[in-house]
Amino acid sequence: MSGLMEKEIDDQRITADEWVTHYLGQLGSFLKGSGVRRDQAQSGNIPCVRYGEIYTTHHNIVRDFHSHISAEVSAEATRLHNGDLLFAGSGETKEEIGKCVAFVGHEEAYAGGDIIILRPKGVNSAFLGYLLNSPPVVRQKASRGQGDAVVHISAAALGSIQLELPKIDEQERIASALKDIDDLIASLDALIAKKRDIKQATMQQLLTGKTRLPGFKEEWPERKLGTEIKMQVGFPFASRFFNRGGQGTKLVRNRDLHGTPDDTYYAGPFDDDYLITNGDVLVGMDGDFRPCLWTGGGALLNQRVGRIKCKSGRRALFFYYLLEPHLAELEKKIAGTTVKHLSHSDVENITCCFPENLEEQSAIGSLLRDVDNEIEMLEAKLSKAAVLKHGMMQQLLTGRIRLV
């Protein structure tokens, strides 16, 4: 391929200048991983990759290890070399078969059974780690998978996959750019996990009175939550008035609290007492009892969803956080044949110690909300980084954008 020629590969338009077509099998030699049963995965301190981990914990590049084997087990496994490409040889679906990760480390490490290893030469393995998981290549692997209940792919089938490769220096630049965005995503993931741990520890201290905020010393009396709050149960609105065309008022159902809203609207008559607004504390009454701080705008409270209504002057935000651990405990205790159910009395009869002082309630709620706001801000950054990476892979791995 040379000059201004262009070639269509799997619906991806690739500029041909300096990109050359190769079969994967031309890039190196294949070998197999071996050994390492599940019960041997933590038998020592030598790093190891097991085939299931390629699906669950490794993505594009091996960054750390989750299995560590003994010297005796390693004698039956396959030693990895820097630059090796590891493919999952079996899986549950053709769409995921042959997922690949690149081993770019220099430490002693091994591959277990059901892993196909390509030991390439003259290419950048990190670049291939990304390219071999790109949609055009995934489609090629899926077309070569064999089996139904369990799907397998062979080294020969992998070897027949066609790739468009730039020169080695451009491979290195592309791999570096994608690694940078991966590093950003990993750092955000770690920071979010740390902030969540801090929030959990803070809740355990502040919501039990073990740690008090400055200026508050009064004892917390033990009493039922029903002395301060009531749970309003949603109304069974007639389904004949339901629609998805945006007519009427948005309806809040159990699935809307923690999943993707289904945008159901209600165009019939209703009592204003069932209107909810941002900042209301809602609780699902079937299956998942986690409280929700509603931010979806004006809507109607449907049946099997409860709203926490505080006595005059009480702070709903404080009770949103106070309820979380108690509802989690209730969810464990309440028995159900298929789906667990929650009643308003289950919530109102929760007995615990909490402050009577309204200012202390407000201070605790505000502090915890600040922590949540910080976590949500980081999650938004993480989401943007993931979108950016997706776009970069689409552009860089097809030659639409060149790093020259």
Side-chain angles (χ1 to χ4, degrees), residues 191-361:
L191 186 55
I192 289 169
K194 181 179 179 180
K195 293 292 184 182
R196 285 175 177 162
D197 288 342
I198 291 172
K199 175 192 169 183
Q200 190 63 32
T202 303
M203 288 179 66
Q204 290 174 349
Q205 293 296 312
L206 292 182
L207 295 176
T208 59
K210 292 178 180 177
T211 297
R212 305 292 296 277
L213 294 178
F216 302 107
K217 297 181 180 180
E218 299 92 339
E219 289 294 322
W220 290 9
E222 183 178 63
R223 56 202 193 279
K224 291 183 178 180
L225 292 185
T227 61
E228 302 293 342
I229 65 171
K230 297 295 180 185
M231 189 165 85
Q232 176 192 20
V233 178
F235 188 81
F237 294 101
S239 60
R240 67 179 182 275
F241 294 113
F242 290 7
N243 70 89
R244 295 180 181 274
Q247 300 173 12
T249 306
K250 182 176 174 60
L251 199 66
V252 176
R253 299 193 284 181
N254 209 331
R255 72 192 70 173
D256 298 317
L257 301 186
H258 300 289
T260 302
D262 66 358
D263 292 330
T264 298
Y265 286 78
Y266 175 78
F270 60 86
D271 187 326
D272 287 351
D273 191 45
Y274 292 98
L275 279 171
I276 64 172
T277 60
N278 288 343
D280 281 347
V281 177
L282 308 182
V283 178
M285 300 176 68
D286 292 320
D288 186 348
F289 299 164
R290 286 177 297 160
C292 166
L293 192 63
W294 182 251
T295 59
L300 287 169
L301 189 71
N302 195 42
Q303 62 182 339
R304 306 309 303 159
V305 179
R307 169 169 52 181
I308 301 302
K309 302 190 80 170
C310 301
K311 288 188 175 181
S312 178
R314 297 299 175 188
R315 304 295 190 263
L317 188 61
F318 168 77
F319 287 99
Y320 163 69
Y321 290 108
L322 183 65
L323 278 168
E324 185 176 313
H326 293 288
L327 289 177
E329 190 62 29
L330 265 179
E331 190 173 329
K332 293 178 183 178
K333 292 180 179 179
I334 294 178
T337 54
T338 54
V339 179
K340 296 181 179 182
H341 301 290
L342 183 72
S343 70
H344 68 90
S345 60
D346 291 326
V347 174
E348 294 165 7
N349 286 329
I350 292 173
T351 301
C352 61
C353 296
F354 58 94
E356 292 182 300
N357 189 311
L358 301 185
E359 292 184 0
E360 186 171 10
Q361 290 183 13

Side-chain angles (χ1 to χ4, degrees), residues 47-49 53-54 57-68 80 86 100-107 109 126-127 129-130 174-187 189 389 393:
C48 173
V49 176
E53 296 167 350
I54 295 177
T57 60
H58 300 296
H59 306 288
N60 303 312
I61 296 172
V62 176
R63 296 173 182 275
D64 50 26
F65 294 90
H66 299 266
S67 294
H68 295 82
L80 292 175
L86 284 61
C100 176
V101 293
F103 173 67
V104 295
H106 295 276
E107 65 267 55
F127 168 79
Y130 291 106
I174 292 171
S176 178
L178 292 174
K179 182 180 180 299
D180 286 346
I181 191 67
D182 267 347
D183 288 345
L184 173 62
I185 289 172
S187 66
D189 266 330
K389 176 187 173 181
M393 290 184 69

